Amino acid sequence: MHFSRGRNVSLMDILFGIVVLCTEAVAGQLSYSVAEESKEGTTVGNIAKDLNLSVQDLELRMFQIVTGSKKSYFEVNLKTGFLYVTDRIDREELCAKSLKCTVIVEAVINSPLKLYRIEINILDVNDNSPTFSANSQAIDIAETTLPGVRFPLLSASDSDVGKNGVSTYKLSPNEHFSLATHKGEHGASAELVLQKALDREKQAHIQLTLTAIDGGTPPKSGTSQIKINVLDINDNVPVFSRPLYKASIFENVPIGTSVVTINATDLDEGLNGEIVYSLNKKDQDNILEVFHIDSSTGAITVKSNIDFEQQNAFEIRAQASDKGQPPMTAHCKVLVEVMDLNDNAPEITVTSLLKTVKEDVQIGTAVALVSVSDADGGKNGIVTCSVRNKVPFKLELNYKNYYSLVVDGPLDRENMSQYNVTISATDEGTPSLSSSNIITVDIADVNDNPPRFAEPVLNVYIKENSPVGTLMTTVSASDADINENGHVTYSILDINSNSGAPLSTLVNINSVTGDLSNLQSFNYEEMKTFQFRVQAADAGVPPLSSNATVNVFVLDENDNSPVVLPPYAEHGSVNTENVPYTAEAGYFIAKIRAVDADSGYNALLSYHISEPKGNNLFRIGTSNGEIRTKRRMSDSDLKTHPLIIAVSDNGEPALSATVSIDVVVVERTDDIQTQFRHKPVKDDTFSSLNLYLLIAIISVSVIFLLSLISLIAVKCHRTDSNFSGYNPPMITTHPDGTWSYSKSMQQYDVCFSSDTLKSDVVVFPTPFPPADAELISINGGDTFQRTQTLPNKEKPKAPNADWRYSASLRAGMQSSVHMEESSVMQGAQGVLVQNWPTVSSAADGEGGEVSPPVGAGVDSNSWHFRYGPQGPQHLKPGEMPPEAFIIPGSPAIISIRQGQDGDDKGDFITFGKKEEAKKKKKKKKEKKDKREKGKDDDD
């Protein structure tokens, strides 16, 4: 092997420099050794084997050497796993005079992240020869100098250390001098010892050669020439009080600070005894720059700044010379120890591992490597490192002053896209010093936010008949992510409309802008509303989406004219209505009915007589369309009055329809009939109105059948056991006009025909007597309340064989029966109570009565049945009180009869007209006929 200096070395040096001397892994640290000046590519060690890693893991887990800002001398071959030299290594350049030279290499491997500290000892090679600071040195020695006197010589320096440094000195052979060699901590030094007295007269100058030899193999050497000048007599040499002075001083002391004062004495007198102090100028350039000595006092002071980190100790060589001729000189050493001050703040070095950090990264992921150092020593160089600000990152200690910056909490780019992590390093000096470094960590976006609509439900209104392409609305969704993850597109998922039209024919959405437009013109009469869902999706991987429901309401426009309903609806026909000459003012002639397919005000119709104008004989209800006479007929009136009725809606603009009616005045009411001047041919097509009527008839029939089945089921479901139990009372209304009332032990069937003014209501009681008397209440909510009174154990007495009572009521019974809270049937213990005074037409003292409350009117909903004499009936214990039943608003006359021998099968109740009412109506009709007849006679 050839080193950079071109010198040959032995086989032992080659093996010593290349072969790894020590390989060990302790607490995450490996240690190798390699000789300086090794060739590039020289193998240092098998790092894969020593770390128990396979060669494949090195590449897969991205094994790498982390250099930071320092120069890299080593690299790892990921194919073989060997650590090798990549650049020239000069130990003297790296470590100067340090006995141990170590290069720290940091290696990182991922998945999981591990940090390895590799310590490489640079072994010294004897590639430097000893050198002297001067090629020659002169020494003045008086001829009277006694043998044994020592004279210091220039020391040689060797850049190598250890045994390769200066080991010994040799002096060229002569008869006057010998060489004394001293070995110390800072190397070997030599002194010239006078062995034989000098005689200036014989030899005034002596030339010697001093050779410095190092301990390397093979050894190297350097020489310096010594010139001895033999001087004339000055026989006393100054003597120092101590041959070695020691002092200590803090670094950074002010210039002029006194370090130490040396003292020497001379026994001579006069000039030969006057002493001058000086610093040895030979090989002490740096000392002369830092220190100054007072030539008179020997005080050594600071001349320039002292830095402990540059040099922690000084060896000063001072001398004291007299002024004799020749002058005699004494020498001494001053050792100055520099004490450290905490004057260096810690230094922070950051090596980034990731350019950006994903926001969904796992906690504990390493982001960067942080190393700290402090040039101070001792306690002043102990550094602690921490994260100063509040961020989701923390420092984890790897080894001594090496840390990993890891994720310590969840990251959310939407809240914070960049973190400035402030790392602070503080030493333990007094006062402590600190430094900080800001690491910028960029957070990479992850598609973790779906697009969001401002509202989950959106109501959109569009007028019917709007042109195709009309902008209905614009849906908008926002996505907190960025770039592709925040790029939102819109689409329609499904649609729900009453028309059943396919989605593609109704609406369209712009996938980029979210503009909703119609694909067809909507008709309010065909489709009033429809619903669909809009989806907003981003372009992330995987994509995220959210939905919003859009309700589209079609607004009605006045686009339909009123339509007149039959019998005046035939197109082109003129309708005829007859009115008697004797008709009074307000006589009803006809009623025009019309419908409008629109809604709201567009369908609010009003009726007017458009022709003839200013008609003062007839009027029409603007809201109900009823045509009536304004006054009685006169002889001057025409016999035929053609009217044109206009039906208008309240839309903007208003639409209308007309119908023509001829009102013919006739002399007698028998001649009144409706005729048509022209009857158009009927359209045999099946219209939509016929369809609605057919559906209505079928629905009513189905309801009737279900009601009939329910009634049969109620009748059949009876309990033949003891009568202590109860079934809830029930009133059933049937579509055919019948209704029934039933209890647990007794049931009444009440039948109505469609003409309530002419029908009878028949109630058939069941053959079972009630087990207990009950208080039954039927409130407005059709709920029943039942209260049990004292039970009856004896058979009730039958009422009289024939008894009848009636109440005079007004006509106008409604087709439905309404039960409200005032409709109460009461039965108490032995007493029947009536809430209101009643009017009775019964003459029998033991009869019963059915009556409404006095002053209640036709629509009163509270009725009472009373059996027996007037006033409360006091019953014996165990007797059955008569049943009470309510028929609200009934205009009928009630008669109650019972068959012979108390046969319950013969029991029935009939509701018929009151004879008095019939007579009054008959008399009224006769008076009317006489009046009309009298008018005819007058005519």
Side-chain angles (χ1 to χ4, degrees):
M1 175 181 290
H2 297 280
F3 291 90
S4 61
R5 295 184 181 270
R7 298 181 181 179
N8 295 330
V9 293
S10 64
L11 180 60
M12 290 297 294
D13 284 329
I14 297 174
L15 295 176
F16 185 81
I18 297 178
V19 176
V20 176
L21 300 179
C22 179
T23 302
E24 58 180 346
V26 179
Q29 176 175 326
L30 298 177
S31 181
Y32 296 95
S33 296
V34 64
E36 67 172 329
E37 303 296 341
S38 296
K39 290 184 178 181
E40 294 182 11
T42 300
T43 300
V44 178
N46 191 338
I47 197 170
K49 179 180 178 182
D50 296 335
L51 294 177
N52 294 323
L53 298 172
S54 64
V55 177
Q56 293 79 5
D57 284 342
L58 295 181
E59 289 187 356
L60 293 176
R61 297 176 63 185
M62 295 186 292
F63 187 92
Q64 59 179 325
I65 298 296
V66 180
T67 60
S69 60
K70 299 178 182 179
K71 185 177 180 180
S72 175
Y73 294 97
F74 303 94
E75 193 54 75
V76 175
N77 189 331
L78 299 181
K79 302 293 183 181
T80 62
F82 285 95
L83 181 68
Y84 63 94
V85 178
T86 61
D87 200 355
R88 174 180 174 270
I89 303 174
D90 188 352
R91 182 192 177 283
E92 288 72 31
E93 180 182 348
L94 289 175
C95 303
K97 299 293 291 184
S98 297
L99 292 177
K100 184 177 181 180
C101 184
T102 303
V103 175
I104 304 299
V105 177
E106 299 162 16
V108 176
I109 192 169
N110 296 314
S111 302
L113 175 69
K114 288 187 178 180
L115 174 67
Y116 300 97
R117 189 173 185 268
I118 304 171
E119 185 178 276
I120 302 176
N121 294 322
I122 308 302
L123 302 180
D124 188 33
V125 176
N126 191 22
D127 57 343
N128 294 282
S129 299
T131 58
F132 289 90
S133 60
N135 292 329
S136 64
Q137 50 185 320
I139 301 175
D140 297 330
I141 302 175
E143 62 178 349
T144 59
T145 302
L146 298 175
V149 176
R150 296 170 179 262
F151 301 93
L153 300 174
L154 290 176
S155 297
S157 62
D158 196 331
S159 298
D160 298 324
V161 295
K163 70 176 184 177
N164 294 328
V166 177
S167 176
T168 186
Y169 292 88
K170 288 183 180 181
L171 187 65
S172 60
N174 67 92
E175 61 177 342
H176 294 282
F177 297 94
S178 65
L179 195 64
T181 303
H182 304 282
K183 291 185 178 181
E185 295 180 0
H186 301 285
S189 61
E191 290 180 333
L192 190 65
V193 181
L194 180 63
Q195 296 290 337
K196 183 180 179 181
L198 299 174
D199 189 354
R200 181 178 178 277
E201 287 69 27
K202 289 183 179 180
Q203 190 176 3
H205 301 282
I206 300 173
Q207 189 75 27
L208 300 176
T209 300
L210 179 64
T211 303
I213 304 170
D214 63 21
T217 303
K220 296 180 180 295
S221 62
T223 60
S224 177
Q225 301 298 319
I226 302 174
K227 295 179 180 180
I228 306 297
N229 298 315
V230 181
L231 302 178
D232 201 8
I233 188 169
N234 181 17
D235 54 354
N236 286 295
V237 178
V239 178
F240 283 100
S241 60
R242 287 181 293 177
L244 178 64
Y245 292 87
K246 292 183 178 181
S248 60
I249 189 173
F250 284 103
E251 64 174 333
N252 302 326
V253 294
I255 295 174
T257 302
S258 177
V259 179
V260 67
T261 301
I262 60 177
N263 182 42
T265 59
D266 194 324
L267 297 177
D268 293 328
E269 292 182 355
L271 294 177
N272 292 332
E274 293 183 11
I275 298 175
V276 177
Y277 298 98
S278 64
L279 298 178
N280 196 335
K281 296 182 181 180
K282 298 178 182 178
D283 201 22
Q284 285 198 130
D285 293 340
N286 63 327
I287 298 297
L288 296 175
E289 293 177 356
V290 177
F291 297 99
H292 169 74
I293 189 169
D294 190 301
S295 60
S296 300
T297 62
I300 299 176
T301 58
V302 177
K303 183 179 180 180
S304 65
N305 184 55
I306 298 176
D307 190 355
F308 173 85
E309 287 70 40
Q310 293 182 0
Q311 192 168 353
N312 57 7
F314 294 92
E315 182 180 325
I316 304 173
R317 285 180 288 178
Q319 63 186 16
S321 303
D322 59 23
K323 295 181 179 181
Q325 288 299 328
M328 301 193 69
T329 304
H331 301 272
C332 73
K333 287 184 179 181
V334 180
L335 296 180
V336 180
E337 179 186 2
V338 180
M339 292 182 292
D340 185 35
L341 290 177
N342 191 25
D343 58 341
N344 290 280
E347 293 182 359
I348 302 174
T349 303
V350 178
T351 302
S352 180
L353 297 177
L354 299 174
K355 292 182 179 180
T356 59
V357 180
K358 292 186 177 181
E359 59 179 322
D360 62 347
V361 70
Q362 293 183 353
I363 294 177
T365 301
V367 176
L369 296 178
V370 179
S371 62
V372 293
S373 60
D374 196 317
D376 295 322
K379 193 175 181 180
N380 296 331
I382 300 176
V383 181
T384 57
C385 194
S386 63
V387 176
R388 181 182 298 176
N389 53 340
K390 188 176 181 181
V391 290
F393 299 93
K394 69 176 181 178
L395 288 175
E396 289 185 351
L397 180 64
N398 294 329
Y399 180 81
K400 290 185 178 179
N401 290 334
Y402 294 90
Y403 299 85
S404 293
L405 182 64
V406 299
V407 178
D408 189 38
L411 304 177
D412 189 358
R413 190 209 61 80
E414 289 69 38
N415 291 333
M416 184 71 70
S417 61
Q418 187 183 76
Y419 290 94
N420 292 321
V421 183
T422 303
I423 297 177
S424 175
T426 306
D427 60 27
E428 296 184 5
T430 304
S432 62
L433 299 178
S434 63
S435 61
S436 61
N437 195 345
I438 297 177
I439 302 175
T440 301
V441 180
D442 293 320
I443 307 302
D445 186 44
V446 174
N447 191 25
D448 57 347
N449 290 281
R452 297 189 183 276
F453 289 94
E455 295 180 355
V457 178
L458 198 64
N459 294 329
V460 178
Y461 300 91
I462 183 172
K463 292 182 179 181
E464 66 171 332
N465 305 322
S466 295
V468 175
T470 299
L471 179 63
M472 301 166 60
T473 188
T474 299
V475 295
S476 177
S478 59
D479 196 315
D481 296 321
I482 59 174
N483 300 330
E484 294 298 325
N485 297 333
H487 181 68
V488 180
T489 57
Y490 304 91
S491 61
I492 297 177
L493 291 182
D494 51 30
I495 194 164
N496 180 18
S497 65
N498 297 328
S499 65
L503 169 63
S504 59
T505 64
L506 294 178
V507 293
N508 178 54
I509 189 169
N510 188 312
S511 61
V512 177
T513 63
D515 291 342
L516 281 170
S517 57
N518 60 325
L519 294 177
Q520 68 177 24
S521 180
F522 299 118
N523 189 349
Y524 173 82
E525 288 71 38
E526 296 178 358
M527 181 169 58
K528 295 178 175 59
T529 181
F530 62 91
Q531 181 187 87
F532 60 90
R533 289 189 301 163
V534 174
Q535 182 184 75
D538 57 31
V541 178
L544 300 179
S545 63
S546 62
N547 301 333
T549 301
V550 179
N551 296 319
V552 179
F553 298 94
V554 181
L555 301 180
D556 184 40
E557 290 286 307
N558 192 25
D559 57 346
N560 291 279
S561 300
V563 177
V564 179
L565 298 178
Y568 308 106
E570 287 81 358
H571 180 69
S573 63
V574 177
N575 306 285
T576 301
E577 293 292 343
N578 295 332
V579 59
Y581 179 80
T582 59
E584 300 287 340
Y587 181 84
F588 176 80
I589 300 173
K591 181 174 183 176
I592 308 300
R593 293 182 301 165
V595 295
D596 195 314
D598 294 321
S599 63
Y601 283 100
N602 296 331
L604 184 61
L605 303 181
S606 59
Y607 302 85
H608 307 278
I609 299 176
S610 61
E611 291 184 8
K613 301 293 184 180
N615 181 25
N616 61 355
L617 184 57
F618 303 100
R619 61 181 174 84
I620 187 170
T622 58
S623 60
N624 56 22
E626 292 181 353
I627 303 175
R628 296 179 181 271
T629 57
K630 285 186 178 180
R631 55 178 176 80
R632 289 178 58 89
M633 299 291 177
S634 64
D635 294 339
S636 61
D637 293 329
L638 300 175
K639 296 299 182 180
T640 301
H641 301 269
L643 302 179
I644 297 179
I645 309 300
V647 183
S648 302
D649 57 27
N650 282 286
E652 290 293 339
L655 301 178
S656 63
T658 59
V659 61
S660 298
I661 297 179
D662 288 348
V663 180
V664 179
V665 180
V666 297
E667 296 296 331
R668 294 183 303 171
T669 58
D670 295 339
D671 297 334
I672 297 177
Q673 57 182 353
T674 301
Q675 298 177 354
F676 293 96
R677 295 181 179 177
H678 172 70
K679 184 176 182 180
V681 179
K682 291 185 178 180
D683 189 2
D684 294 333
T685 58
F686 193 74
S687 65
S688 59
L689 182 60
N690 300 109
L691 178 61
Y692 296 152
L693 292 175
L694 181 59
I695 294 174
I697 293 172
I698 294 174
S699 301
V700 171
S701 302
V702 171
I703 295 173
F704 171 74
L705 291 176
L706 293 176
S707 302
L708 185 60
I709 294 171
S710 301
L711 179 61
I712 296 173
V714 170
K715 285 186 175 182
C716 295
H717 189 271
R718 295 175 178 174
T719 305
D720 295 333
S721 58
N722 56 38
F723 301 110
S724 61
Y726 287 92
N727 291 325
M730 179 174 65
I731 293 178
T732 305
T733 303
H734 303 288
D736 60 347
T738 65
W739 57 278
S740 63
Y741 163 80
S742 63
K743 295 197 305 180
S744 60
M745 296 304 170
Q746 189 166 3
Q747 176 174 319
Y748 295 91
D749 292 340
V750 184
C751 302
F752 284 90
S753 68
S754 60
D755 188 0
T756 58
L757 296 177
K758 300 179 181 180
S759 63
D760 291 339
V761 180
V762 182
V763 182
F764 299 94
T766 60
F768 299 100
D772 302 316
E774 293 180 336
L775 174 64
I776 302 174
S777 174
I778 306 173
N779 57 30
D782 293 339
T783 59
F784 296 88
Q785 296 178 352
R786 178 178 56 194
T787 303
Q788 181 176 351
T789 61
L790 293 178
N792 296 325
K793 297 184 179 179
E794 298 180 3
K795 184 176 182 181
K797 294 181 180 181
N800 293 336
D802 189 7
W803 41 284
R804 178 177 302 173
Y805 303 94
S806 63
S808 182
L809 304 174
R810 292 175 59 187
M813 176 181 178
Q814 305 298 325
S815 59
S816 60
V817 179
H818 301 282
M819 300 295 183
E820 299 185 5
E821 293 181 358
S822 61
S823 304
V824 179
M825 295 179 288
Q826 295 184 351
Q829 183 176 355
V831 180
L832 287 177
V833 181
Q834 179 172 301
N835 290 339
W836 299 281
T838 60
V839 178
S840 175
S841 61
D844 192 348
E846 294 183 356
E849 75 175 18
V850 179
S851 61
V854 173
V858 177
D859 295 329
S860 175
N861 290 329
S862 180
W863 295 79
H864 287 262
F865 288 81
R866 176 169 293 180
Y867 299 84
Q870 297 294 324
Q873 179 183 357
H874 297 278
L875 304 176
K876 296 179 180 180
E879 286 185 346
M880 169 64 74
E883 290 292 318
F885 191 80
I886 304 169
I887 305 176
S890 174
I893 301 173
I894 302 175
S895 298
I896 304 175
R897 291 193 295 274
Q898 184 173 351
Q900 298 295 328
D901 301 328
D903 186 5
D904 288 340
K905 295 182 179 179
D907 294 353
F908 65 93
I909 303 173
T910 62
F911 294 74
K913 293 183 180 179
K914 187 178 178 181
E915 295 300 330
E916 291 84 354
K918 291 182 179 179
K919 292 179 180 179
K920 290 180 179 180
K921 188 174 182 180
K922 187 175 181 182
K923 291 179 180 179
K924 186 176 180 180
K925 186 176 181 181
E926 290 177 353
K927 290 180 179 180
K928 184 176 180 181
D929 293 340
K930 289 180 179 180
R931 185 172 61 252
E932 292 178 354
K933 188 176 182 181
K935 290 180 181 180
D936 293 339
D937 294 339
D938 295 337
D939 294 338

